[in-house]
Amino acid sequence: MAFSKSCSFVIPALKEYRKLEDIRAADELLRKQVFDKLDESKNKLETLRKAMSDKGDFTSLTSIGAIISQVQQISGEVFHSQQGSAGISPNIRIDEGTLNKLYEYDYNFVNSAEQISSTVSGSLTEYTSGTSTAQAIAAKISPMLRRL
Protein backbone atom coordinates (compact mmCIF):
# COMPACT_ATOMS: atom_id res chain seq x y z
CA MET A 1 0.00 0.00 0.00
CA ALA A 2 2.85 2.38 0.84
CA PHE A 3 4.33 1.72 -2.57
CA SER A 4 1.23 2.85 -4.48
CA LYS A 5 0.85 5.97 -2.30
CA SER A 6 4.44 6.98 -2.92
CA CYS A 7 4.11 6.17 -6.64
CA SER A 8 1.07 8.41 -6.99
CA PHE A 9 3.21 11.33 -5.85
CA VAL A 10 5.99 10.50 -8.29
CA ILE A 11 3.95 9.44 -11.34
CA PRO A 12 1.41 12.06 -12.47
CA ALA A 13 -2.15 10.81 -13.06
CA LEU A 14 -1.42 7.30 -11.76
CA LYS A 15 -4.42 7.40 -9.44
CA GLU A 16 -6.79 8.27 -12.31
CA TYR A 17 -5.22 5.63 -14.55
CA ARG A 18 -5.65 2.92 -11.90
CA LYS A 19 -9.27 3.97 -11.35
CA LEU A 20 -9.93 3.61 -15.09
CA GLU A 21 -8.21 0.23 -15.12
CA ASP A 22 -10.50 -0.88 -12.28
CA ILE A 23 -13.53 0.16 -14.35
CA ARG A 24 -12.21 -1.87 -17.29
CA ALA A 25 -11.75 -4.91 -15.05
CA ALA A 26 -15.31 -4.50 -13.71
CA ASP A 27 -16.61 -4.25 -17.29
CA GLU A 28 -14.79 -7.45 -18.22
CA LEU A 29 -16.30 -9.27 -15.22
CA LEU A 30 -19.77 -7.99 -16.11
CA ARG A 31 -19.49 -9.15 -19.71
CA LYS A 32 -18.19 -12.54 -18.56
CA GLN A 33 -21.16 -12.92 -16.22
CA VAL A 34 -23.64 -12.07 -18.99
CA PHE A 35 -21.82 -14.40 -21.39
CA ASP A 36 -22.04 -17.24 -18.85
CA LYS A 37 -25.80 -16.70 -18.40
CA LEU A 38 -26.37 -16.66 -22.15
CA ASP A 39 -24.19 -19.73 -22.65
CA GLU A 40 -26.14 -21.54 -19.92
CA SER A 41 -29.37 -20.54 -21.70
CA LYS A 42 -28.02 -21.85 -25.01
CA ASN A 43 -27.17 -25.20 -23.42
CA LYS A 44 -30.67 -25.47 -21.94
CA LEU A 45 -32.22 -24.59 -25.29
CA GLU A 46 -30.15 -27.35 -26.89
CA THR A 47 -31.51 -29.72 -24.24
CA LEU A 48 -35.01 -28.54 -25.14
CA ARG A 49 -34.31 -29.17 -28.83
CA LYS A 50 -33.12 -32.69 -28.00
CA ALA A 51 -36.27 -33.29 -25.93
CA MET A 52 -38.36 -32.12 -28.90
CA SER A 53 -36.51 -34.48 -31.20
CA ASP A 54 -36.87 -37.39 -28.76
CA LYS A 55 -40.59 -36.67 -28.52
CA GLY A 56 -40.92 -36.63 -32.33
CA ASP A 57 -41.96 -32.96 -32.35
CA PHE A 58 -40.13 -31.82 -35.46
CA THR A 59 -42.46 -28.93 -36.34
CA SER A 60 -40.73 -26.30 -34.20
CA LEU A 61 -37.12 -27.44 -34.37
CA THR A 62 -36.34 -24.62 -36.79
CA SER A 63 -37.71 -21.90 -34.51
CA ILE A 64 -35.79 -23.23 -31.49
CA GLY A 65 -32.68 -23.58 -33.67
CA ALA A 66 -33.04 -19.92 -34.68
CA ILE A 67 -33.30 -18.88 -31.02
CA ILE A 68 -30.19 -20.94 -30.20
CA SER A 69 -28.36 -19.23 -33.04
CA GLN A 70 -29.41 -15.77 -31.81
CA VAL A 71 -28.30 -16.53 -28.26
CA GLN A 72 -24.97 -17.84 -29.53
CA GLN A 73 -24.42 -14.76 -31.69
CA ILE A 74 -25.26 -12.32 -28.89
CA SER A 75 -23.12 -14.16 -26.35
CA GLY A 76 -20.20 -14.12 -28.79
CA GLU A 77 -20.59 -10.39 -29.32
CA VAL A 78 -20.73 -9.81 -25.56
CA PHE A 79 -17.65 -11.93 -24.90
CA HIS A 80 -15.51 -10.64 -27.76
CA SER A 81 -16.49 -6.96 -27.74
CA GLN A 82 -13.65 -4.50 -27.58
CA GLN A 83 -12.95 -2.80 -24.29
CA GLY A 84 -12.25 0.87 -23.94
CA SER A 85 -8.86 2.28 -23.21
CA ALA A 86 -7.85 3.67 -19.85
CA GLY A 87 -5.73 6.34 -21.47
CA ILE A 88 -4.50 9.18 -19.34
CA SER A 89 -5.80 11.78 -21.78
CA PRO A 90 -8.71 10.17 -23.69
CA ASN A 91 -10.31 11.79 -26.75
CA ILE A 92 -13.77 11.33 -25.26
CA ARG A 93 -14.52 12.22 -21.67
CA ILE A 94 -17.56 10.85 -19.85
CA ASP A 95 -19.05 12.89 -17.05
CA GLU A 96 -20.67 11.42 -13.93
CA GLY A 97 -24.24 11.73 -15.29
CA THR A 98 -23.36 9.79 -18.43
CA LEU A 99 -21.50 7.22 -16.36
CA ASN A 100 -24.61 6.70 -14.20
CA LYS A 101 -26.68 6.11 -17.36
CA LEU A 102 -24.12 3.52 -18.45
CA TYR A 103 -24.35 1.80 -15.06
CA GLU A 104 -28.15 1.68 -15.45
CA TYR A 105 -27.70 0.18 -18.91
CA ASP A 106 -25.33 -2.44 -17.45
CA TYR A 107 -27.86 -3.25 -14.74
CA ASN A 108 -30.60 -3.73 -17.35
CA PHE A 109 -28.20 -5.78 -19.49
CA VAL A 110 -27.51 -8.20 -16.64
CA ASN A 111 -31.21 -8.37 -15.72
CA SER A 112 -32.13 -9.22 -19.32
CA ALA A 113 -29.62 -12.07 -19.39
CA GLU A 114 -30.98 -13.29 -16.05
CA GLN A 115 -34.57 -13.16 -17.37
CA ILE A 116 -33.61 -15.15 -20.46
CA SER A 117 -31.88 -17.77 -18.34
CA SER A 118 -34.85 -18.02 -15.98
CA THR A 119 -37.36 -18.25 -18.84
CA VAL A 120 -35.34 -20.90 -20.65
CA SER A 121 -35.03 -22.97 -17.46
CA GLY A 122 -38.78 -22.84 -16.90
CA SER A 123 -39.51 -23.51 -20.55
CA LEU A 124 -37.80 -26.88 -20.57
CA THR A 125 -39.97 -27.98 -17.66
CA GLU A 126 -43.10 -26.57 -19.31
CA TYR A 127 -42.37 -28.35 -22.57
CA THR A 128 -41.59 -31.74 -21.06
CA SER A 129 -44.70 -31.57 -18.86
CA GLY A 130 -46.85 -30.65 -21.87
CA THR A 131 -48.00 -27.27 -20.51
CA SER A 132 -46.30 -25.28 -23.29
CA THR A 133 -45.39 -25.73 -26.93
CA ALA A 134 -42.03 -25.03 -28.51
CA GLN A 135 -43.59 -22.24 -30.58
CA ALA A 136 -44.93 -20.54 -27.44
CA ILE A 137 -41.50 -20.84 -25.83
CA ALA A 138 -39.79 -19.33 -28.88
CA ALA A 139 -42.36 -16.51 -28.89
CA LYS A 140 -41.51 -15.75 -25.25
CA ILE A 141 -37.73 -15.79 -25.65
CA SER A 142 -37.35 -14.01 -28.99
CA PRO A 143 -38.48 -10.53 -27.76
CA MET A 144 -36.14 -10.85 -24.79
CA LEU A 145 -33.20 -11.33 -27.12
CA ARG A 146 -34.13 -8.21 -29.08
CA ARG A 147 -33.98 -6.16 -25.84
CA LEU A 148 -30.40 -7.26 -25.24
Side-chain angles (χ1 to χ4, degrees):
M1 192 70 151
F3 175 73
S4 73
K5 280 186 178 180
S6 64
C7 279
S8 64
F9 291 121
V10 176
I11 303 171
L14 179 64
K15 181 179 177 183
E16 185 65 24
Y17 177 80
R18 291 190 49 108
K19 186 167 76 171
L20 293 172
E21 281 298 314
D22 289 346
I23 290 171
R24 285 185 66 204
D27 176 61
E28 184 177 355
L29 289 171
L30 174 88
R31 287 186 296 111
K32 175 76 170 106
Q33 180 182 1
V34 170
F35 170 80
D36 288 343
K37 282 291 176 191
L38 291 173
D39 196 47
E40 176 185 312
S41 297
K42 181 185 70 86
N43 292 337
K44 289 177 183 175
L45 284 166
E46 288 172 344
T47 303
L48 172 63
R49 183 171 57 180
K50 183 176 180 339
M52 291 170 59
S53 178
D54 292 346
K55 205 173 184 181
D57 181 9
F58 302 114
T59 57
S60 300
L61 284 177
T62 304
S63 60
I64 295 299
I67 298 289
I68 292 169
S69 179
Q70 278 183 297
V71 170
Q72 190 170 8
Q73 179 184 357
I74 292 169
S75 68
E77 288 173 5
V78 167
F79 189 73
H80 297 293
S81 64
Q82 184 176 355
Q83 286 186 301
S85 168
I88 292 174
S89 182
N91 293 333
I92 300 172
R93 296 203 180 266
I94 297 177
D95 64 8
E96 189 174 337
T98 305
L99 190 58
N100 287 334
K101 286 179 187 177
L102 290 171
Y103 287 144
E104 185 177 327
Y105 175 77
D106 286 349
Y107 176 76
N108 292 333
F109 187 53
V110 171
N111 277 343
S112 293
E114 192 67 43
Q115 278 184 320
I116 290 168
S117 179
S118 174
T119 301
V120 169
S121 292
S123 297
L124 181 58
T125 305
E126 290 172 9
Y127 180 80
T128 54
S129 69
T131 58
S132 186
T133 65
Q135 288 175 320
I137 293 167
K140 258 194 296 191
I141 297 169
S142 194
M144 292 178 175
L145 291 171
R146 285 193 289 274
R147 282 183 288 205
L148 262 179

